[in-house]
Amino acid sequence: GEGVKPFTPEKAKEIVMSLQQPAVFCNMVGDWPALHWNVKYLSEVLDGKTIQFRLGLKTMDLVPQFETRCSYVEATLEEFLAWSCGQPSCLSGPFSGYDSSKYWAYADYKYIARIFEDKPEIFQDIRWSDFGFPGRSGKESTLWIGSEGANTPCHLDSYGCNLVLQVEGRKRWHLFPPGDTSFLYPTRIPYEESSIFSKVSIAKPDLKCFPKFRNSTAHVITLSPGQVLLVPRHWWHYVESIDPITVSINSWIELDADHEARVEEAITRMVVCAIKSAENPSDGDLWLNPTEAEATSHEINLQYLNQAVSAYFKCQKTSVSEQAHSSSTAAEQRTGASCKRKKREVGCEPGGCRLLTHGFDFSTSKAEELQKIPFGPHLIQVLPQSQETGLMGAAAVESDGGDLPRENEGEHLGKLHCRRKQLVMSNDCEMPAHQMDSDSSPCTPQTALSTNDFLDCLVNPHVINLVARLLLERTGV
């Protein structure tokens, strides 16, 4: 009947916790007040409060626009609206120095609990309880507001899986499975806790420098208002706004596997901070992402590593008894995973973050699991692109032409009723971006290996995973 959702909270949670490929939920949030959170409404609620926007160039480059290569302004949503709509510069305030035809702006990773701390009642506009997570609301969610062209560089999140609600405008998601990691040339520079970046510019990949990218398999989807995307654990994603204004809300759902991931992150932080802090400051490599306040000391990093290891073994010892319980408190279910960034500083200490996965049988094979998933008009698979269109932008690199291919939106979604202009090291060839002119290749041979070359090998996800397992084995003896 009218108002009845296609999945019960229990069934939705089962899908979220077991599905290992991206999918779009439809017709699940029609009664959420958050669907009215367009920028005009939010500007009224914030009533002149300023938030930080990241600005980048719309021009596609062979080098990803990492946050270290962007500019930043503090502005109100009213000023953002005036700027994005092309109104006089006197109304756009801090944006007035940026041509909206050349730049995009993004207020990304904004914790709702922070920007609406004086209006906690608004948290209840977001009801993740419909997906089987009782008590989870806007307090455990993050807000994203962007203009056309705003994008997040391709990366994977170290922790949890991700539920993303599209509120205003559309965003195009390019997703790659965990098995494609080596094809995406992972790097930890720029460094931030819980994010592993790709050196490949997904919109315009340089296949001369990154030939293995040809072997990657992109799953592309355009997310429209009212739809919720599930991004499974460790799926790579590049996200871009394709409408004049976009608003999204997401929440990271923590998994038991995150205990080991937290150990890996602690190892990575220790190694990167130690080695990069030892470099000569005059080298000018701004390796720390603006989201990271500072390079923490070796003592603090070692303390964090010990906490992560202790939490891992605590989880191992208690998991059997916890899974035997038939219920858990709402606080346990919603603790921690919503704060992907600044995980250690936002009340998510290693010992306190867990989401119990009891009640679901993960012993079945992948094929059997997929057979049980009720795909259809209310749950849409995000399918791989065809081989013909799989190399996004490859033609643009080799022949200076061509746009990003789009998925068959008619087939997949038509039935749904629906950081500062700074130096950054560019890629495997590691030539500073500011030294490349428009005609030069970023793959100019270099005479010596850089620190970043060394780190890309030393903190490669496969290497860190091996180190973490050896460390846990030693600690557990």
Side-chain angles (χ1 to χ4, degrees), residues 289-325:
N289 226 29
T291 54
E292 293 288 327
E294 60 183 356
T296 44
S297 69
H298 179 77
E299 289 72 21
I300 291 176
N301 291 336
L302 184 60
Q303 181 182 11
Y304 178 52
L305 175 60
N306 277 283
Q307 290 176 342
V309 170
S310 297
Y312 173 85
F313 283 110
K314 181 180 179 181
C315 178
Q316 292 292 98
K317 292 177 181 178
T318 60
S319 60
V320 174
S321 60
E322 286 179 339
Q323 290 178 12
H325 289 100

Short mmCIF file of all heavy atoms in Angstrom, two decimals, residues 289-325:
data_model
loop_
_atom_site.label_atom_id
_atom_site.label_comp_id
_atom_site.label_asym_id
_atom_site.label_seq_id
_atom_site.Cartn_x
_atom_site.Cartn_y
_atom_site.Cartn_z
N ASN A 289 47.29 16.16 4.02
CA ASN A 289 46.02 16.68 3.52
C ASN A 289 45.48 17.75 4.46
O ASN A 289 45.67 17.65 5.69
CB ASN A 289 45.01 15.54 3.39
CG ASN A 289 44.28 15.58 2.07
OD1 ASN A 289 44.81 16.06 1.07
ND2 ASN A 289 43.07 15.08 2.04
N PRO A 290 44.81 18.78 3.95
CA PRO A 290 44.26 19.83 4.81
C PRO A 290 43.31 19.31 5.88
O PRO A 290 43.08 19.97 6.89
CB PRO A 290 43.53 20.74 3.82
CG PRO A 290 44.25 20.55 2.54
CD PRO A 290 44.64 19.10 2.51
N THR A 291 42.74 18.11 5.66
CA THR A 291 41.84 17.53 6.67
C THR A 291 42.59 17.05 7.89
O THR A 291 41.99 16.82 8.94
CB THR A 291 41.08 16.35 6.07
OG1 THR A 291 42.02 15.42 5.52
CG2 THR A 291 40.15 16.82 4.97
N GLU A 292 43.91 16.86 7.77
CA GLU A 292 44.74 16.44 8.90
C GLU A 292 45.35 17.68 9.54
O GLU A 292 46.08 18.42 8.89
CB GLU A 292 45.84 15.49 8.43
CG GLU A 292 45.33 14.15 7.93
CD GLU A 292 44.81 13.28 9.05
OE1 GLU A 292 45.34 13.34 10.17
OE2 GLU A 292 43.85 12.52 8.81
N ALA A 293 45.09 17.88 10.81
CA ALA A 293 45.52 19.12 11.46
C ALA A 293 47.03 19.23 11.53
O ALA A 293 47.59 20.31 11.32
CB ALA A 293 44.93 19.18 12.88
N GLU A 294 47.71 18.11 11.82
CA GLU A 294 49.16 18.18 11.97
C GLU A 294 49.75 16.78 11.85
O GLU A 294 49.05 15.78 11.94
CB GLU A 294 49.53 18.78 13.33
CG GLU A 294 48.99 17.97 14.51
CD GLU A 294 49.30 18.61 15.85
OE1 GLU A 294 50.00 19.65 15.85
OE2 GLU A 294 48.86 18.08 16.86
N ALA A 295 51.05 16.76 11.65
CA ALA A 295 51.78 15.49 11.66
C ALA A 295 52.05 15.13 13.11
O ALA A 295 52.82 15.79 13.80
CB ALA A 295 53.08 15.62 10.89
N THR A 296 51.39 14.10 13.60
CA THR A 296 51.52 13.72 14.99
C THR A 296 52.89 13.10 15.27
O THR A 296 53.54 12.55 14.38
CB THR A 296 50.41 12.73 15.39
OG1 THR A 296 50.27 11.75 14.35
CG2 THR A 296 49.10 13.45 15.54
N SER A 297 53.31 13.18 16.51
CA SER A 297 54.64 12.72 16.91
C SER A 297 54.73 11.20 16.88
O SER A 297 53.70 10.49 16.90
CB SER A 297 54.98 13.22 18.31
OG SER A 297 54.15 12.57 19.28
N HIS A 298 55.95 10.70 16.90
CA HIS A 298 56.16 9.25 16.91
C HIS A 298 55.56 8.63 18.17
O HIS A 298 54.96 7.55 18.12
CB HIS A 298 57.66 8.95 16.84
CG HIS A 298 57.97 7.48 16.87
ND1 HIS A 298 57.81 6.67 15.77
CD2 HIS A 298 58.41 6.68 17.87
CE1 HIS A 298 58.15 5.42 16.08
NE2 HIS A 298 58.52 5.41 17.35
N GLU A 299 55.67 9.31 19.31
CA GLU A 299 55.14 8.78 20.55
C GLU A 299 53.62 8.63 20.50
O GLU A 299 53.06 7.62 20.92
CB GLU A 299 55.53 9.70 21.72
CG GLU A 299 57.00 9.67 22.09
CD GLU A 299 57.89 10.37 21.06
OE1 GLU A 299 57.35 11.20 20.28
OE2 GLU A 299 59.10 10.08 21.02
N ILE A 300 52.96 9.65 19.96
CA ILE A 300 51.50 9.59 19.84
C ILE A 300 51.09 8.49 18.86
O ILE A 300 50.15 7.73 19.10
CB ILE A 300 50.94 10.95 19.40
CG1 ILE A 300 51.11 11.98 20.52
CG2 ILE A 300 49.48 10.84 19.00
CD1 ILE A 300 50.67 13.37 20.15
N ASN A 301 51.80 8.39 17.75
CA ASN A 301 51.47 7.36 16.76
C ASN A 301 51.68 5.96 17.32
O ASN A 301 50.90 5.04 17.03
CB ASN A 301 52.33 7.57 15.51
CG ASN A 301 51.95 8.82 14.75
OD1 ASN A 301 50.83 9.31 14.87
ND2 ASN A 301 52.88 9.38 14.01
N LEU A 302 52.72 5.78 18.13
CA LEU A 302 52.96 4.48 18.74
C LEU A 302 51.86 4.14 19.75
O LEU A 302 51.41 2.99 19.84
CB LEU A 302 54.33 4.47 19.43
CG LEU A 302 54.77 3.13 20.05
CD1 LEU A 302 54.84 2.04 18.98
CD2 LEU A 302 56.11 3.28 20.76
N GLN A 303 51.41 5.15 20.47
CA GLN A 303 50.31 4.94 21.42
C GLN A 303 49.04 4.52 20.68
O GLN A 303 48.32 3.61 21.12
CB GLN A 303 50.07 6.23 22.21
CG GLN A 303 48.96 6.11 23.25
CD GLN A 303 48.71 7.42 23.98
OE1 GLN A 303 49.22 8.47 23.58
NE2 GLN A 303 47.93 7.37 25.04
N TYR A 304 48.77 5.18 19.57
CA TYR A 304 47.59 4.84 18.78
C TYR A 304 47.69 3.42 18.23
O TYR A 304 46.70 2.67 18.21
CB TYR A 304 47.43 5.85 17.64
CG TYR A 304 46.26 5.57 16.73
CD1 TYR A 304 44.98 5.37 17.25
CD2 TYR A 304 46.42 5.51 15.35
CE1 TYR A 304 43.90 5.12 16.41
CE2 TYR A 304 45.35 5.25 14.51
CZ TYR A 304 44.10 5.06 15.05
OH TYR A 304 43.04 4.81 14.22
N LEU A 305 48.89 3.03 17.79
CA LEU A 305 49.09 1.66 17.29
C LEU A 305 48.79 0.64 18.39
O LEU A 305 48.12 -0.36 18.15
CB LEU A 305 50.52 1.50 16.78
CG LEU A 305 50.92 0.09 16.33
CD1 LEU A 305 50.03 -0.40 15.19
CD2 LEU A 305 52.38 0.06 15.90
N ASN A 306 49.28 0.89 19.59
CA ASN A 306 49.02 -0.03 20.70
C ASN A 306 47.54 -0.10 21.04
O ASN A 306 47.01 -1.18 21.34
CB ASN A 306 49.83 0.39 21.93
CG ASN A 306 51.26 -0.11 21.88
OD1 ASN A 306 51.52 -1.28 22.12
ND2 ASN A 306 52.19 0.76 21.53
N GLN A 307 46.85 1.03 20.98
CA GLN A 307 45.41 1.03 21.23
C GLN A 307 44.67 0.21 20.17
O GLN A 307 43.75 -0.54 20.48
CB GLN A 307 44.88 2.46 21.23
CG GLN A 307 45.33 3.29 22.42
CD GLN A 307 44.87 4.74 22.32
OE1 GLN A 307 44.50 5.20 21.24
NE2 GLN A 307 44.89 5.44 23.44
N ALA A 308 45.08 0.37 18.91
CA ALA A 308 44.42 -0.35 17.82
C ALA A 308 44.65 -1.86 17.96
O ALA A 308 43.73 -2.66 17.74
CB ALA A 308 44.94 0.15 16.48
N VAL A 309 45.85 -2.26 18.30
CA VAL A 309 46.15 -3.68 18.48
C VAL A 309 45.34 -4.25 19.65
O VAL A 309 44.76 -5.34 19.55
CB VAL A 309 47.66 -3.89 18.70
CG1 VAL A 309 47.95 -5.33 19.13
CG2 VAL A 309 48.43 -3.57 17.43
N SER A 310 45.28 -3.52 20.75
CA SER A 310 44.52 -3.98 21.91
C SER A 310 43.04 -4.14 21.57
O SER A 310 42.39 -5.10 21.97
CB SER A 310 44.68 -3.00 23.08
OG SER A 310 46.02 -2.94 23.50
N ALA A 311 42.51 -3.17 20.82
CA ALA A 311 41.10 -3.23 20.43
C ALA A 311 40.83 -4.43 19.53
O ALA A 311 39.79 -5.07 19.62
CB ALA A 311 40.69 -1.94 19.72
N TYR A 312 41.79 -4.74 18.66
CA TYR A 312 41.64 -5.88 17.76
C TYR A 312 41.50 -7.17 18.56
O TYR A 312 40.59 -7.98 18.33
CB TYR A 312 42.84 -5.97 16.82
CG TYR A 312 42.87 -7.22 15.98
CD1 TYR A 312 42.16 -7.29 14.78
CD2 TYR A 312 43.58 -8.35 16.38
CE1 TYR A 312 42.16 -8.44 14.01
CE2 TYR A 312 43.60 -9.50 15.63
CZ TYR A 312 42.89 -9.55 14.44
OH TYR A 312 42.89 -10.69 13.68
N PHE A 313 42.38 -7.37 19.52
CA PHE A 313 42.33 -8.61 20.30
C PHE A 313 41.13 -8.64 21.24
O PHE A 313 40.55 -9.70 21.49
CB PHE A 313 43.63 -8.80 21.09
CG PHE A 313 44.76 -9.26 20.23
CD1 PHE A 313 45.82 -8.42 19.93
CD2 PHE A 313 44.76 -10.53 19.67
CE1 PHE A 313 46.86 -8.84 19.11
CE2 PHE A 313 45.79 -10.96 18.85
CZ PHE A 313 46.85 -10.12 18.57
N LYS A 314 40.72 -7.49 21.72
CA LYS A 314 39.51 -7.43 22.54
C LYS A 314 38.30 -7.86 21.73
O LYS A 314 37.43 -8.60 22.20
CB LYS A 314 39.31 -6.01 23.08
CG LYS A 314 38.08 -5.86 23.97
CD LYS A 314 37.95 -4.43 24.47
CE LYS A 314 36.71 -4.27 25.35
NZ LYS A 314 36.55 -2.87 25.84
N CYS A 315 38.25 -7.40 20.48
CA CYS A 315 37.15 -7.78 19.59
C CYS A 315 37.19 -9.29 19.31
O CYS A 315 36.15 -9.95 19.30
CB CYS A 315 37.22 -7.00 18.29
SG CYS A 315 35.96 -7.42 17.07
N GLN A 316 38.39 -9.83 19.10
CA GLN A 316 38.53 -11.26 18.81
C GLN A 316 38.01 -12.10 19.97
O GLN A 316 37.35 -13.12 19.78
CB GLN A 316 40.00 -11.60 18.56
CG GLN A 316 40.57 -11.02 17.28
CD GLN A 316 39.98 -11.64 16.03
OE1 GLN A 316 39.07 -11.09 15.43
NE2 GLN A 316 40.49 -12.79 15.65
N LYS A 317 38.30 -11.67 21.20
CA LYS A 317 37.93 -12.45 22.37
C LYS A 317 36.44 -12.38 22.68
O LYS A 317 35.85 -13.30 23.21
CB LYS A 317 38.71 -11.95 23.59
CG LYS A 317 40.20 -12.25 23.53
CD LYS A 317 40.92 -11.65 24.73
CE LYS A 317 42.41 -11.93 24.64
NZ LYS A 317 43.17 -11.30 25.78
N THR A 318 35.83 -11.25 22.32
CA THR A 318 34.43 -11.04 22.71
C THR A 318 33.43 -11.28 21.59
O THR A 318 32.23 -11.29 21.82
CB THR A 318 34.23 -9.61 23.23
OG1 THR A 318 34.58 -8.68 22.20
CG2 THR A 318 35.10 -9.37 24.45
N SER A 319 33.91 -11.49 20.36
CA SER A 319 33.00 -11.56 19.21
C SER A 319 32.02 -12.73 19.33
O SER A 319 30.85 -12.60 18.98
CB SER A 319 33.77 -11.66 17.91
OG SER A 319 34.58 -12.82 17.91
N VAL A 320 32.48 -13.87 19.82
CA VAL A 320 31.61 -15.04 19.91
C VAL A 320 30.46 -14.79 20.87
O VAL A 320 29.30 -15.04 20.56
CB VAL A 320 32.41 -16.28 20.34
CG1 VAL A 320 31.47 -17.46 20.57
CG2 VAL A 320 33.45 -16.62 19.30
N SER A 321 30.78 -14.25 22.05
CA SER A 321 29.72 -14.01 23.03
C SER A 321 28.79 -12.89 22.58
O SER A 321 27.58 -12.95 22.81
CB SER A 321 30.34 -13.65 24.38
OG SER A 321 31.15 -12.50 24.28
N GLU A 322 29.35 -11.88 21.89
CA GLU A 322 28.51 -10.79 21.41
C GLU A 322 27.54 -11.26 20.36
O GLU A 322 26.37 -10.87 20.33
CB GLU A 322 29.39 -9.66 20.87
CG GLU A 322 30.09 -8.86 21.96
CD GLU A 322 30.96 -7.78 21.38
OE1 GLU A 322 31.35 -7.90 20.19
OE2 GLU A 322 31.28 -6.82 22.10
N GLN A 323 28.00 -12.11 19.46
CA GLN A 323 27.14 -12.58 18.38
C GLN A 323 26.05 -13.50 18.90
O GLN A 323 25.05 -13.73 18.23
CB GLN A 323 27.98 -13.30 17.32
CG GLN A 323 28.88 -12.36 16.55
CD GLN A 323 29.73 -13.08 15.53
OE1 GLN A 323 29.51 -14.24 15.24
NE2 GLN A 323 30.73 -12.39 15.00
N ALA A 324 26.23 -14.03 20.12
CA ALA A 324 25.22 -14.90 20.69
C ALA A 324 24.03 -14.12 21.22
O ALA A 324 22.95 -14.66 21.39
CB ALA A 324 25.82 -15.75 21.80
N HIS A 325 24.25 -12.87 21.50
CA HIS A 325 23.14 -12.05 22.02
C HIS A 325 22.16 -11.75 20.90
O HIS A 325 22.52 -11.56 19.76
CB HIS A 325 23.67 -10.76 22.62
CG HIS A 325 24.40 -10.95 23.92
ND1 HIS A 325 25.78 -10.98 23.99
CD2 HIS A 325 23.94 -11.13 25.18
CE1 HIS A 325 26.15 -11.18 25.25
NE2 HIS A 325 25.04 -11.28 25.99
#
